Amino acid sequence: MADERKPVLSDSAIADAPPSYQSTPAVDYRPAPGAFIAAPPGPCPPPPNYMVHSILAILFCFWPLGIVGLLKAVESRTAYAEGRFADAEAASMSAKKFLIWSVVVNVVIIVCLLLFYGLAYGLSYGLTAHAANS
């Protein structure tokens, strides 16, 4: 088999060329024979956007943080659709943080309410029991 590769211009051939061609040197972009050529990477998979989680956080957890999480989830989906994969990943992580904080704040509020009502009930029961014994 004959070698079908095109000859590459050497530096001396470029130096001998007319002035209009000296600014653009010839470059051989062909891979070496037998070299492995990887396919260009395709679009990365979409990051989780936590849309359903955000809606559930709005309904059952601390709703202001759930709304911010929903906005970040929409921003993540939009950024991925526009091809801004790094922005989509950042918005996804931000949505996740707001969802976690929504659940944490909700749990703290519930624990505080249970303590408050438990203490209020305990004190009122103790006062009524004390008044009944007197």
Side-chain angles (χ1 to χ4, degrees):
M1 277 186 123
D3 189 17
E4 297 180 13
R5 293 191 304 169
K6 297 178 182 177
V8 178
L9 294 176
S10 66
D11 291 335
S12 63
I14 293 173
D16 296 337
S20 63
Y21 297 111
Q22 288 182 359
S23 63
T24 57
V27 179
D28 187 12
Y29 291 107
R30 293 172 292 154
F36 175 75
I37 302 172
C44 60
N49 60 13
Y50 302 103
M51 184 76 67
V52 174
H53 302 87
S54 299
I55 293 171
L56 292 175
I58 291 170
L59 295 175
F60 299 114
C61 294
F62 190 63
W63 63 268
L65 292 177
I67 289 175
V68 176
L70 180 65
L71 293 175
K72 291 294 182 180
V74 170
E75 181 182 338
S76 172
R77 181 179 283 185
T78 304
Y80 181 78
E82 293 174 352
R84 297 179 291 130
F85 303 122
D87 293 341
E89 185 69 31
S92 172
M93 296 307 294
S94 183
K96 182 179 179 181
K97 288 177 189 174
F98 279 107
L99 290 173
I100 290 172
W101 278 108
S102 176
V103 172
V104 167
V105 169
N106 189 46
V107 168
V108 167
I109 288 173
I110 288 174
V111 167
C112 289
L113 287 175
L114 288 175
L115 287 174
F116 176 75
Y117 285 117
L119 289 174
Y121 176 75
L123 289 176
S124 68
Y125 179 74
L127 291 178
T128 56
H130 180 69
N133 289 336
S134 301

